Amino acid sequence: QFVLLLQAFSLYSVQALQLVSTKKVRSLMVIQVASLVLVCVLQFGNTLIPRSLVVSFVLASLVVFALQGEKGIHSSSFFVSIVKLLAHTLAVFLIAGLINYIIKSFVAEEADSHIYNFVKAKLGLTSARKNRDFDVLLYLCDPSFKGLPEDTFGRLTESLLLPAYLAALVGLLLLTAYSVLRNWWLESHPGGADSKSEPSESLDLIMRRPDLAYHTLHTLFFGFMAVTTLRFKYLWTPHVCILAAVAVADYDLWAWLLARVRLVHRAAGIVGQHLAGFAYAALIIYLLLPGVQNDLDQLREFYDPDTVDLMEWIKKETKPTDAFMGSMQLMAGVKLCTGRPITNHPHYEDKRLRHRTKQVYQVYGRKSPETVHHILRSIGTSYIILEDSICYSPNDARWPACRLPDIVDQCNGHQLETPTGVDEEDLVPAKHQRFCHQVQHHHKYTKLFKTVFENRTFRIYKVLGTPTKAKQRESEQAAHGS
């Protein structure tokens, strides 16, 4: 949905700047809405889709397009065109907000509330720690949701990708801005001297190749998301490659550049395009080939014997109806490799599953064994899998209070075990020891949980006492549905 939202921003931008016809942009946005409706139907009425921002923004854009007519923001005055652009853009966002509010009034679901809470916390508008927001703290403490590492730009520069990208980005931004402003000026002065002259090469290039302007605007949105949140780097990097390729080997761009020095023959553009492409590729190979060869020499088949032992034991020693609980990442592997029901799942866009995850993660908190046992039995858990890498994870000075046990403690209102510099004014000392530590040997815990498997990485405990059939059936249905 975020990808489609950023795509919708780019489509609206090229329409508002009169680089692409309203008819074509309207058709693309209708396709977007139709695809989202189809996804909603195929996902059995997933309420997250109609409540999404992309649906509201696209519908608002279509409303503004209908009010504009085919002429768009065209005006006889240059300055009126600029004012209309700003006014129409503001109208789109206001209408989108209104549509989103109306949809949420009818679709009473909070499946996406964690997304808005995360954005507010990311922008510093709220404090997830003070609010004890478990979901937001998981996001904020995940390295993939932090900012882009500083060495990223250095590595992109060493590969010659960033210089070519920046050259194309700056150049195309300037060409797009000049083309749009000059086009508006000519439309507002139809009788001027400039209107009688031949169109400028820059104007002709952008008008003939609106895809260049579209990708330029699109990469700005992706770049902003990647810089603020590392997870979105996978969206930005392909666009870096696209614009770098444009800077090096795009025929229209080379023809325009060579026309500056009076080389207007078609063959000149083709020769320049291919020579630059081959030279760029050869230089990249020369600079990066030794490092790539070294990486390939060190490449080995990934093999994790502890995880393999875990999966084999589950398949051989447990019944197909036994439900497992563990970390979200591990449960995805258990479900895939063994087919056993799982009581929590990494599909974090479902509010019920988010609440379930917060409950079962009490095995890494400091609740009483009776409380943890009651939680696990109530959701039909047969076995719990504890990971020592989580239970005994060391503190990281770069990200204080970001261990999973620390997050669980904060959300439970408990003071942290070790000082981290985090504000603990409203936290109180815990009355119990950490569950994942004590369950190994303390008799109060071993009466409720039995050790059935253990290796260097994982520990499996059987939850003693049979859960009610209704709860077990509900757990199995939820697990299979996930």
Side-chain angles (χ1 to χ4, degrees):
Q1 295 179 27
F2 279 110
V3 177
L4 290 178
L5 178 61
L6 297 177
Q7 184 185 64
F9 285 164
S10 302
L11 290 172
Y12 173 78
S13 299
V14 293
Q15 185 277 340
L17 297 175
Q18 296 181 287
L19 298 174
V20 180
S21 67
T22 301
K23 181 180 179 180
K24 182 176 292 186
V25 172
R26 184 191 297 118
S27 300
L28 292 172
M29 286 189 168
V30 168
I31 292 173
Q32 277 191 327
V33 173
S35 64
L36 289 169
V37 171
L38 181 61
V39 170
C40 181
V41 173
L42 294 178
Q43 291 187 348
F44 308 101
N46 185 351
T47 58
L48 189 65
I49 293 175
R51 289 168 55 94
S52 64
L53 290 176
V54 61
V55 171
S56 302
F57 181 82
V58 169
L59 293 178
S61 299
L62 294 176
V63 170
V64 172
F65 292 166
L67 296 176
Q68 288 178 350
E70 294 301 324
K71 294 178 63 177
I73 62 170
H74 171 71
S75 175
S76 58
S77 171
F78 174 80
F79 295 103
V80 171
S81 296
I82 295 178
V83 172
K84 288 178 68 175
L85 171 64
L86 298 176
H88 288 192
T89 302
L90 179 61
V92 168
F93 282 101
L94 291 177
I95 295 174
L98 178 61
I99 292 175
N100 193 255
Y101 175 79
I102 294 174
I103 292 176
K104 288 183 177 180
S105 298
F106 287 96
V107 184
E109 178 63 52
E110 297 181 4
D112 56 352
S113 60
H114 65 298
I115 299 176
Y116 299 105
N117 293 336
F118 165 71
V119 172
K120 289 190 290 186
K122 186 78 173 177
L123 297 175
L125 301 177
T126 60
S127 173
R129 298 192 188 278
K130 289 186 178 181
N131 295 335
R132 299 178 186 173
D133 194 320
F134 178 77
D135 305 323
V136 175
L137 284 175
L138 280 183
Y139 281 128
L140 293 177
C141 287
D142 190 325
S144 64
F145 284 93
K146 296 187 180 296
L148 197 66
E150 296 179 359
D151 64 339
T152 301
F153 299 104
R155 289 185 283 108
L156 290 176
T157 301
E158 291 174 0
S159 65
L160 302 181
L161 193 60
L162 190 62
Y165 167 75
L166 290 178
L169 178 63
V170 173
L172 289 174
L173 279 176
L174 293 175
L175 284 176
T176 301
Y178 176 75
S179 299
V180 170
L181 293 176
R182 188 173 188 276
N183 190 31
W184 287 355
W185 181 263
L186 291 178
E187 289 180 350
S188 61
H189 297 77
D194 288 342
S195 62
K196 299 178 181 179
S197 61
E198 292 295 323
S200 69
E201 292 292 339
S202 63
L203 180 62
D204 187 51
L205 173 65
I206 297 299
M207 291 304 175
R208 285 189 296 107
R209 294 288 306 278
D211 57 302
L212 295 178
Y214 169 79
H215 285 298
T216 301
L217 297 172
H218 210 168
T219 193
L220 290 178
F221 294 121
F222 281 160
F224 173 77
M225 296 299 297
V227 170
T228 56
T229 307
L230 175 61
R231 189 184 184 96
F232 293 102
K233 180 185 173 185
Y234 80 98
L235 297 174
W236 178 58
T237 305
H239 265 74
V240 172
C241 297
I242 290 173
L243 287 195
V246 168
V248 174
D250 184 83
Y251 170 77
D252 288 328
L253 195 58
W254 271 103
W256 179 82
L257 289 172
L258 293 174
R260 304 297 91 197
V261 293
R262 307 297 182 184
L263 291 176
V264 294
H265 198 278
R266 176 176 173 79
I270 296 176
V271 171
Q273 172 192 16
H274 287 84
L275 284 179
F278 282 122
Y280 187 69
L283 188 56
I284 290 178
I285 292 173
Y286 173 76
L287 292 175
L288 301 183
L289 185 59
V292 173
Q293 288 179 329
N294 183 57
D295 291 341
L296 291 175
D297 291 339
Q298 298 179 6
L299 187 63
R300 299 289 185 273
E301 181 181 359
F302 176 76
Y303 181 67
D304 184 356
D306 291 344
T307 302
V308 173
D309 290 344
L310 174 73
M311 301 302 174
E312 291 296 330
W313 185 90
I314 292 174
K315 288 191 289 187
K316 292 179 180 178
E317 303 296 333
T318 64
K319 295 181 292 186
T321 56
D322 288 335
F324 283 78
M325 167 269 147
S327 66
M328 289 187 287
Q329 297 85 345
L330 181 60
M331 287 301 96
V334 169
K335 182 65 178 176
L336 177 65
C337 297
T338 69
R340 299 296 190 269
I342 54 178
T343 56
N344 58 306
H345 192 275
H347 180 68
Y348 218 61
E349 278 66 41
D350 184 274
K351 183 182 180 181
R352 184 174 58 87
L353 288 177
R354 290 201 305 273
H355 178 68
R356 175 76 62 85
T357 297
K358 182 180 179 180
Q359 282 185 304
V360 300
Y361 273 8
Q362 295 302 324
V363 297
Y364 292 111
R366 288 182 283 175
K367 293 281 190 177
S368 68
E370 293 80 11
T371 300
V372 176
H373 185 263
H374 173 73
I375 291 173
L376 296 175
R377 286 194 59 186
S378 67
I379 59 177
T381 304
S382 306
Y383 296 90
I384 59 175
I385 306 176
L386 298 181
E387 300 173 60
D388 288 342
S389 59
I390 297 177
C391 186
Y392 295 100
S393 57
N395 287 307
D396 193 328
R398 296 173 300 172
W399 305 312
C402 268
R403 302 183 311 147
L404 180 56
D406 292 338
I407 294 175
V408 175
D409 284 347
Q410 292 173 79
C411 293
N412 289 339
H414 295 156
Q415 291 179 355
L416 304 183
E417 290 179 309
T418 56
T420 59
V422 175
D423 184 12
E424 299 185 24
E425 289 184 3
D426 57 340
L427 303 181
V428 299
K431 297 180 180 180
H432 303 277
Q433 298 297 315
R434 194 165 304 284
F435 176 88
C436 62
H437 294 169
Q438 299 298 311
V439 72
Q440 289 182 278
H441 49 76
H442 200 287
H443 71 278
K444 286 183 60 178
Y445 294 77
T446 54
K447 290 190 299 183
L448 301 174
F449 304 92
K450 179 183 177 181
T451 305
V452 293
F453 175 85
E454 187 172 6
N455 61 23
R456 295 174 302 174
T457 306
F458 304 103
R459 290 178 275 139
I460 299 183
Y461 297 89
K462 184 175 183 179
V463 182
L464 301 180
T466 305
T468 63
K469 291 184 179 180
K471 289 295 182 182
Q472 189 172 22
R473 185 164 55 252
E474 178 187 343
S475 172
E476 292 173 7
Q477 291 175 350
H480 287 297
S482 301

